[in-house]
Amino acid sequence: MNKTRIKIVMVLLLISFGPYYIYQNVLYKDARDINNEKSALTITAERIENEYNLNPLKADTKYLNKTIEIEGKVSEVTDSSMVIDRKVFCKMNEKASKTFLNKQINIKGRCIGFDDLFSVVKFDQCSIQQN
């Protein structure tokens, strides 16, 4: 009877803590801190947009979910985003300043793909890089 109780307690513990272990170690992952990551490459807004227009699948393989630094001229600014050379949309981490409008800039962010509707490459978690 004593061995049976031990087996029952072990099974109950496994059932109780198993899902927690799976959640903590398998499913849950901290968000990436793109601002502190090193850029995989630096590319112009025009070049990355051209690559997406020529072959979106190949460009996704090359750029998707990677930390990339974009070079170009700021063509639009809102409170939370910037558009570079009318080709790359950047969702900013901090409030975007209109003082950058029509100025050459480098922005680091994570590529999240090509938006067919607006014909722009999209980036999130973007921050302005000091030249």
Side-chain angles (χ1 to χ4, degrees):
M1 189 79 158
N2 198 12
K3 286 185 179 182
T4 306
R5 281 186 177 175
I6 292 174
K7 287 181 184 179
I8 291 172
V9 169
M10 293 299 283
V11 169
L12 289 174
L13 286 173
L14 184 62
I15 290 171
S16 298
F17 293 107
Y20 176 76
Y21 176 81
I22 291 170
Y23 173 76
Q24 284 294 95
N25 296 307
V26 178
L27 299 177
Y28 178 77
K29 293 184 173 127
D30 287 335
R32 289 172 54 187
D33 185 8
I34 300 298
N35 200 32
N36 290 326
E37 286 185 18
K38 184 175 165 81
S39 299
L41 65 126
T42 301
I43 189 169
T44 64
E46 186 173 334
R47 182 169 170 207
I48 195 169
E49 192 256 352
N50 286 340
E51 287 189 40
Y52 266 101
N53 280 328
L54 290 174
N55 190 339
L57 294 176
K58 184 178 178 185
D60 270 347
T61 304
K62 196 172 178 181
Y63 302 117
L64 192 65
N65 206 27
K66 293 199 170 89
T67 302
I68 299 171
E69 195 167 325
I70 298 293
E71 297 176 333
K73 188 183 275 190
V74 177
S75 53
E76 287 180 47
V77 177
T78 68
D79 283 345
S80 62
S81 66
M82 288 186 178
V83 178
I84 309 300
D85 291 333
R86 301 193 193 287
K87 300 176 185 315
V88 176
F89 175 86
C90 300
K91 178 76 171 126
M92 304 300 290
N93 282 339
E94 65 273 351
K95 186 175 180 182
S97 172
K98 295 207 186 259
T99 60
F100 290 107
L101 195 59
N102 296 319
K103 293 189 177 165
Q104 197 69 17
I105 196 170
N106 283 21
I107 294 182
K108 180 170 69 170
R110 178 178 65 122
C111 180
I112 56 174
F114 187 73
D115 187 334
D116 294 327
L117 182 63
F118 295 106
S119 295
V120 293
V121 181
K122 295 186 96 174
F123 279 72
D124 70 356
Q125 302 181 43
C126 295
S127 60
I128 297 168
Q129 300 302 296
Q130 303 301 325
N131 294 353

